[in-house]
Amino acid sequence: MPLHVCVVGSGPAGFYVAKKLLKRFDFARVDILERLPAPFGLVRSGVAPDHPETKVVINQFSRTAEDERCRFFGNVCLGTDVSLEELRKNYHVVVLAYGAESDHRLGIPGEDLEGVFSARQFVWWYNGHPDGKDLPINLNDVETAVVLGQGNVALDVARILLRSPSELSSTDIAEHAVKALRTSRIRKVYVVGRRGPVQAACTAKELREILGLKGVEIVINEADLQTTDCDLEELQSSRIHKRVFDLFCKSATFTKCAGRDKQLQFVFFRAPVSLLAAEDGIHVRGVHLQKTRLEGNHPRKLVGTGEFEELDCGLVLKSIGYKSLPVPDLPFDHKKGVVPNYFGRVRSSDATNETERGLYVAGWLKRGPTGIIGTNEVCAQEVVTSIEEDVNRAVVSNLKEVPGSVGLESILSEKNKRYITFEGWERLNETEMEKGAVKGKPREKIVGIDEALAIGLAKEKE
Amino acid sequence: MSMLEAAHENEIELEGACEGSLACSTCHVIFMDEELYQKLPEPSDEENDMLDLAFGLTETSRLGCQIIAKPELDGMRLALPPATRNFAVDGHVPKPH
């Protein structure tokens, strides 16, 4: 008897779960739902255009989708097109892997001024995410940008602002973005962290890359590189932080080269207090910061020093963390922004150990928005092991008949909702690659939903 | 031939998400013989950058896609990183069930 599984979300979390379920259970039938026309989640819309090797994982995800026991349903949205309750009635197992599509807020005055965006919005914009194309971003009248946060996403957005547009024009960057970057007047980017270089959240590969960016002068205040005993302890216990810190130190001692017309400055020990409005009261013109200090021991506390500074800028990108969105009938921990779970089994609330039969989470919705693509492989292993245990103990039983795909199809057809199959995506994929080839790009992403649907939903060629 | 390729040819489940382009850490392997580990050339910065992120990193860890078969490595034994129930998030302690 088949084990009918529905995975919601077709990013790395969803695909690693699908892959491992198909391997563990010959009798698994896995449907993968995706609200966008195109699959692959952040591999397509998060990984930067100048990091193509990181996207190679799409090859194996495609092999999973092509398994005859796996079906892709693009253009189908949980909540709008089908409810969680309906999915749980139609499948033995439902795995929610829809990630984190919202942002942490700073909660400070001026956060909603024009010219202030989350890094996620900017990334969606340059990566051609259908929901990001209309971002009201103006690069023509801005000379300085401030990025708040020092993780890899912060480095991505800073790098895309500073990399020469001619280098970007041979990547899969969205056309509207490279066009805007060609006329961008941004020459200076600050990347601001509340703590020091010892605590910076970025990793060596990304930092090494941005420190070596052509035509960009790196500015680091050497005073920020001084370490306390506590810092040295932290460095000793973390290989990642030690190698990142060493890179900051090396960079600060490079001789300044002439002829670099752009600047990247790392600012440490500054916490944003408010975003300042220009005279029109509408646009952002600067960031008001408080100097900070780390105090105490195990754990160290971040405190304000009572001294303040301003940075002038016309663009602010907040890179302080993504956040998941809840859906009806789903237990949700609003503080942590995750679904409470026990090794991937959804808990009925964060106050109980009772779990929801047949309902699981994977990826950022399970762990919070951290980690790399590979982290999801480990995470999926854990979730699939939980599912396997539950099947073995008959907590989830494939002996009980449920409709599976057939049930989902009838729900969708009742609403006249057409979905994109994996063949439909492959058609869209081919079209993007053909359009890109003409311009020397690996692909030209089709950003408009209507155009994507027209291609993806077209009748299969004979 | 790299150890990643060798694993795939022998149906050993070694993940290779980026297919050998030093853009991930999923082909992480652990040398069981310190002596043979010492015979390897030093990892490049790029490999070290990826090893930083490897799950279950040890003193004799390398990326399988960077270990190329050679006569002097004959007999090497590679272990795959441990299973995931120890992957603690937020210090969560599993309750017995």
Side-chain angles (χ1 to χ4, degrees):
Chain A
M1 295 270 313
L3 181 73
H4 288 291
V5 180
C6 184
V7 174
V8 179
S10 69
F15 263 107
Y16 273 126
V17 164
K19 176 184 171 190
K20 287 174 190 287
L21 277 172
L22 290 168
K23 189 161 206 313
R24 292 272 184 126
F25 301 105
D26 279 337
F27 49 91
R29 302 285 180 272
V30 182
D31 289 347
I32 303 178
L33 306 194
E34 168 56 55
R35 75 170 178 90
L36 298 177
F40 309 131
L42 285 176
V43 184
R44 176 175 164 93
S45 66
V47 176
D50 53 353
H51 289 172
E53 57 302 329
T54 309
K55 304 188 197 199
V56 168
V57 71
I58 282 177
N59 293 343
Q60 63 157 297
F61 292 163
S62 296
R63 284 195 293 275
T64 297
E66 285 158 2
D67 187 310
E68 59 181 8
R69 296 168 296 154
C70 184
R71 290 182 65 183
F72 175 72
F73 286 78
N75 190 42
V76 176
C77 182
L78 174 66
T80 332
D81 301 322
V82 60
S83 71
L84 182 56
E85 208 190 312
E86 285 171 318
L87 288 181
R88 292 182 75 184
K89 283 203 191 110
N90 282 275
Y91 292 90
H92 294 113
V93 168
V94 176
V95 183
L96 302 176
Y98 64 71
E101 294 192 310
S102 179
D103 312 296
H104 270 289
R105 302 256 310 162
L106 287 167
I108 60 177
E111 195 161 0
D112 297 309
L113 288 168
E114 287 196 17
V116 178
F117 306 105
S118 69
R120 174 191 59 83
Q121 290 173 299
F122 183 60
V123 171
W124 278 11
W125 175 78
Y126 65 64
N127 270 337
H129 189 294
D131 297 350
K133 70 183 197 303
D134 296 325
L135 193 70
I137 185 165
N138 173 8
L139 301 175
N140 295 344
D141 300 329
V142 174
E143 285 173 10
T144 306
V146 167
V147 178
L148 296 171
Q150 292 177 332
N152 286 339
V153 177
L155 295 193
D156 272 354
V157 298
R159 190 180 72 250
I160 296 298
L161 285 173
L162 291 169
R163 201 187 264 287
S164 89
S166 62
E167 282 178 41
L168 291 172
S169 61
S170 57
T171 69
D172 66 4
I173 191 170
E175 189 58 33
H176 57 251
V178 72
K179 208 165 141 204
L181 288 164
R182 280 195 197 108
T183 56
S184 163
R185 283 187 36 220
I186 293 182
R187 294 291 171 268
K188 169 112 194 196
V189 177
Y190 292 97
V191 175
V192 180
R194 292 175 304 170
R195 295 174 297 171
V198 172
Q199 290 81 32
C202 56
T203 54
K205 172 180 187 232
E206 288 72 15
L207 183 57
R208 193 191 301 283
E209 178 185 17
I210 206 172
L211 294 175
L213 210 55
K214 226 167 52 172
V216 178
E217 183 192 358
I218 307 294
V219 179
I220 295 177
N221 184 353
E222 285 207 42
D224 288 333
L225 297 171
Q226 285 174 18
T227 50
T228 62
D229 285 339
C230 253
D231 286 329
L232 292 174
E233 260 180 62
E234 280 182 36
L235 289 176
Q236 263 193 330
S237 67
S238 168
R239 180 188 146 123
I240 292 181
H241 285 284
K242 172 148 201 335
R243 295 182 76 244
V244 164
F245 182 71
D246 284 346
L247 282 168
F248 278 126
C249 291
K250 267 198 219 124
S251 183
T253 63
F254 286 164
T255 32
K256 305 275 181 271
C257 297
R260 296 193 187 189
D261 65 337
K262 294 189 217 154
Q263 245 191 24
L264 169 67
Q265 180 164 351
F266 285 92
V267 175
F268 298 103
F269 298 109
R270 299 290 186 275
V273 172
S274 64
L275 304 180
L276 306 166
E279 267 180 44
D280 64 9
I282 299 173
H283 290 88
V284 71
R285 72 139 177 92
V287 184
H288 190 54
L289 302 159
Q290 179 171 196
K291 293 189 188 178
T292 62
R293 192 175 53 227
L294 280 166
E295 268 183 5
N297 218 341
H298 303 310
R300 299 167 82 180
K301 249 182 66 181
L302 189 70
V303 297
T305 62
E307 286 175 62
F308 297 86
E309 249 176 34
E310 269 180 32
L311 288 177
D312 290 336
C313 65
L315 174 68
V316 175
L317 296 175
K318 302 175 285 171
S319 187
I320 59 173
Y322 290 64
K323 210 164 155 188
S324 290
L325 294 167
V327 296
D329 301 324
L330 179 65
F332 196 78
D333 180 338
H334 289 273
K335 216 173 86 177
K336 294 196 187 131
V338 296
V339 172
N341 69 90
Y342 179 63
F343 294 108
R345 298 178 180 90
V346 174
R347 283 157 61 197
S348 304
S349 83
D350 56 7
T352 176
N353 276 342
E354 277 182 45
T355 55
E356 296 287 310
R357 183 192 300 267
L359 187 59
Y360 304 83
V361 279
W364 280 6
L365 190 58
K366 166 179 178 269
R367 308 186 322 268
T370 59
I372 53 174
I373 291 173
T375 318
N376 292 289
E377 205 228 334
V378 175
C379 173
Q381 189 97 320
E382 183 169 273
V383 179
V384 170
T385 298
S386 295
I387 293 172
E388 188 178 24
E389 284 173 6
D390 291 349
V391 167
N392 291 343
R393 294 181 311 157
V395 170
V396 165
S397 174
N398 62 317
L399 296 179
K400 166 185 172 226
E401 274 200 50
V402 293
S405 307
V406 167
L408 176 64
E409 278 172 315
S410 99
I411 291 170
L412 296 176
S413 97
E414 258 168 63
K415 294 184 166 167
N416 271 322
K417 180 78 192 193
R418 297 180 66 199
Y419 59 88
I420 295 188
T421 64
F422 202 69
E423 287 75 32
W425 150 248
E426 281 168 337
R427 223 175 9 259
L428 183 54
N429 188 33
E430 280 297 316
T431 310
E432 288 189 342
M433 292 196 293
E434 280 164 23
K435 288 185 171 210
V438 169
K439 300 180 183 176
K441 298 170 80 168
R443 70 176 61 243
E444 183 57 66
K445 283 184 187 166
I446 289 167
V447 181
I449 290 257
D450 292 338
E451 195 186 343
L453 288 177
I455 298 168
L457 294 173
K459 272 209 144 86
E460 255 77 70
K461 296 200 175 93
E462 295 306 311
Chain B
M1 175 178 285
S2 78
M3 289 306 101
L4 177 61
E5 288 164 328
H8 287 175
E9 289 216 350
N10 289 279
E11 313 221 326
I12 290 170
E13 253 188 77
L14 186 60
E15 175 78 3
C18 75
E19 299 180 5
S21 49
L22 281 177
C24 77
S25 56
T26 59
C27 68
H28 167 213
V29 291
I30 299 166
F31 270 76
M32 313 245 0
D33 308 293
E34 170 104 33
E35 272 179 39
L36 289 178
Y37 171 77
Q38 298 295 352
K39 287 202 171 139
L40 298 166
E42 285 282 312
S44 63
D45 278 345
E46 289 70 27
E47 184 182 347
N48 267 326
D49 287 348
M50 293 301 107
L51 282 170
D52 281 355
L53 309 169
F55 178 65
L57 191 70
T58 69
E59 297 282 326
T60 57
S61 284
R62 292 294 300 261
L63 294 185
C65 66
Q66 301 301 302
I67 309 302
I68 312 298
K70 278 194 191 75
E72 60 257 34
L73 296 175
D74 191 32
M76 68 173 143
R77 297 172 304 154
L78 303 175
L80 302 187
T84 67
R85 276 295 156 114
N86 299 319
F87 191 147
V89 179
D90 301 332
H92 172 91
V93 176
K95 293 184 180 59
H97 65 292

